[in-house]
Amino acid sequence: MPSSTDRSTDRTLHLAVDLTDAGAHPAAWRTLGSQARQLFDAERLQDLVSTAQRGTVDLVLFDDAFSLQPGHRGGVQGRLDAALVAARLAPRSAGIGLVPTVTTTHTEPFHVSKALATIDHASHGRAGWQVAVSTGTDDAAHVGRRPAPDLDAAWAEAGEAIDVVSRLWDSWEDDAEIRDTATGRFVDRDKLHYVDHDGVHFAVKGPSITPRPPQGHPVVVVRGDSDAALAVAAEHADVVRVRATTLEQARGLREQVRAAAAAHGRNPDDVIVLVDLYAVIGPDRASAQARLDLLEGLAGVSWDTDSYTHVGTDRDLAATAEEWLLAGATDGFTVRPSSLQTDLVALVDGVVPLLRRAGMYKSEYSGSTLRDSLGLARPANRYAAAIA
C-alpha cells in the first residue's frame, strides 16, 4: 500500500503532452490529417494547445536542439525556436503550462533566465523549462565556440546553469518595482541583488534585467535519461521525466528519484515523476494496431520507444493510468501521441473523461499558474529571505 506521504494517495494524475513535430512516430507527418504543410505554422500549434487545454492537460512541451532531428531518413526535419513558440502562445492560451526545451550547453544562463522569465510574465505564470544538454560535434560546430563535452560534463554544467538561472530569477525581489510617478522612482535599488556567481563553468554578476517571474521560478523539467541527468534532476527539477516499459521499472525509477531528492534535503513530494507514454489510441485494439502497422510500413522500421507504449483503446489507457498511479509507479505521464492530430483528440475526448469519472483527474485548472496546477509551492526569494 502507498505510504501516507506518497503523492499517489491523492488519486490525482498529472498529464503532460509532447507537441513536437507531427507526433512521436517518425512517419506521422505522412498520414492523412497530419497537416504536413502546416508543420511550421504557429496557428496549427495554437490549435493543438487549445485541444490540450480543453482536456485540462497540466502542460505541453516543445522540443528543441541545435541540430536537425535525429533518427532514420524520412522523419520531420527542421524546427521552430521552442522558447519563441511558447512566448507567442502565452497570451493565446489559459490555464495550461508552456514548456520549451532550452539547452544549457553553448548558451549563457543570463539569456536563458531572461527568455524564460519573459514567457512567465507573458503567460501570467505558466512557463516551464525543459533542460537539455548537447554532446554532439555537429552542434558544437554550429555554435563554433568550443568542443562538445561528454555527457557527464554536459550535465554537470547544466546543474550549475540551473542554479545560476534560479539566482538570476531571484535577483529582483517581488516588490522591487515601485513605479512611483510622483518621485520618479521606478525600482527600489535595494531590492535588486548581485548574484555574484563564480563557479566552475560560469561567472555571472547579475542582477537580471527582467523582474522576478510571477511563479518566482518557472517549473524546471528534466529528462532522466542517464545517471548524470537523474542526479541533476534530483537536486534541481520540479518535474522529472523517466522512461519505463513496465510498472515495476517505473516504480523503481520513481523511488530512486525521490530518495535522491531527499538526500539533497528536498521534500520528495515536491518532485513530480512522469513516465513517458507513447500512445496509439483507437476505437478498438485492432484499429489501433492497424494504424501503427500503417505508420511502421511508411517508415520501414519498427517503432522502438524505450518506454511504455500503449496500442489500444481509451478505456484500456485509463485503466493503465489508474493502475500505475495507485501502485506508486508514477505521478502521471508525459503522453507522446504517435500522430498528434489523431491521438491528442483521442486523449482529450476519450481518456480524460474516463479519468475524471474515476475521480483521478481534474475538471478545471486549480489556480492560475503552472505551479498551482502541479501543486507546487512558489519558491521564496533567497536574497529577500537572507535579508529578513
Side-chain angles (χ1 to χ4, degrees):
M1 293 293 291
S3 70
S4 60
T5 59
D6 194 307
R7 184 184 293 274
S8 65
T9 58
D10 63 13
R11 295 178 56 84
T12 300
L13 191 78
H14 292 294
L15 286 179
V17 175
D18 192 325
L19 296 185
T20 301
D21 298 336
H25 198 287
W29 69 276
R30 299 175 62 186
T31 61
L32 291 175
S34 68
Q35 298 180 309
R37 296 188 181 279
Q38 297 175 273
L39 285 178
F40 304 119
D41 186 339
E43 295 299 323
R44 166 183 165 272
L45 283 170
Q46 186 173 327
D47 289 343
L48 290 169
V49 170
S50 295
T51 300
Q53 187 175 292
R54 177 160 51 83
T56 55
V57 168
D58 290 296
L59 59 95
V60 289
L61 302 114
F62 310 97
D63 210 359
D64 205 349
F66 291 130
S67 56
L68 295 173
Q69 291 88 329
H72 73 285
R73 285 178 70 179
V76 172
Q77 298 284 271
R79 308 174 189 267
L80 297 179
D81 185 283
L84 293 179
V85 165
R88 184 189 188 278
L89 293 168
R92 296 171 173 83
S93 57
I96 196 165
L98 305 169
V99 184
T101 296
V102 180
T103 302
T104 58
T105 321
H106 311 303
T107 57
E108 297 296 331
F110 184 86
H111 297 138
V112 174
S113 72
K114 187 160 63 77
L116 293 164
T118 298
I119 298 168
D120 208 45
H121 280 286
S123 65
H124 302 291
R126 292 181 289 111
W129 171 24
Q130 182 164 252
V131 180
V133 300
S134 168
T135 59
T137 56
D138 288 345
D139 289 9
H142 289 160
V143 179
R145 292 175 56 193
R146 58 166 178 156
D150 63 30
L151 189 63
D152 287 350
W155 275 109
E157 181 183 54
E160 185 178 338
I162 297 169
D163 179 55
V164 177
V165 167
S166 68
R167 290 176 182 275
L168 287 165
W169 287 333
D170 282 347
S171 65
W172 288 55
E173 294 185 34
D174 291 321
D175 57 351
E177 297 173 70
I178 301 172
R179 305 192 189 193
D180 188 336
T181 56
T183 64
R185 294 182 70 209
F186 191 86
V187 298
D188 182 345
R189 295 293 302 181
D190 291 334
K191 296 188 176 183
L192 301 186
H193 301 280
Y194 294 114
V195 304
D196 285 331
H197 176 85
D198 189 6
V200 175
H201 304 95
F202 306 105
V204 178
K205 186 172 183 63
S208 176
I209 63 169
T210 306
R212 194 171 194 240
Q215 293 183 99
H217 299 171
V219 171
V220 175
V221 181
V222 173
R223 289 188 182 107
D225 290 340
S226 68
D227 289 341
L230 280 170
V232 170
E235 185 173 2
H236 297 287
D238 301 298
V239 175
V240 182
R241 290 178 58 179
V242 298
R243 292 184 179 183
T245 57
T246 66
L247 183 152
E248 291 75 18
Q249 184 186 13
R251 184 161 49 199
L253 285 168
R254 181 171 180 266
E255 290 172 354
Q256 178 185 343
V257 169
R258 288 170 63 85
H264 284 286
R266 304 180 65 192
N267 182 345
D269 286 341
D270 291 337
V271 183
I272 295 170
V273 180
L274 303 180
V275 174
D276 276 15
L277 187 154
Y278 293 74
V280 187
I281 307 170
D284 53 64
R285 295 180 188 180
S287 298
Q289 185 62 53
R291 185 152 61 85
L292 178 57
D293 291 344
L294 170 64
L295 289 167
E296 295 200 334
L298 290 170
V301 294
S302 181
W303 194 32
D304 183 10
T305 67
D306 290 328
S307 196
Y308 188 79
T309 303
H310 170 84
V311 183
T313 68
D314 49 16
R315 191 167 298 277
D316 290 339
L317 183 49
T320 296
E322 181 174 10
E323 179 188 11
W324 286 42
L325 179 69
L326 297 182
T330 187
D331 299 310
F333 297 92
T334 299
V335 180
R336 304 203 63 191
S338 66
S339 300
L340 269 183
Q341 294 295 131
T342 301
D343 293 305
L344 177 59
V345 171
L347 174 73
V348 167
D349 293 339
V351 180
V352 166
L354 291 169
L355 293 172
R356 285 174 177 162
R357 263 179 245 146
M360 296 179 54
Y361 197 68
K362 60 187 179 297
S363 58
E364 59 184 22
Y365 290 106
S366 56
S368 60
T369 73
L370 178 53
R371 285 187 172 274
D372 291 335
S373 292
L374 296 174
L376 298 172
R378 187 176 188 271
N381 186 307
R382 74 193 71 195
Y383 301 109
I387 293 171

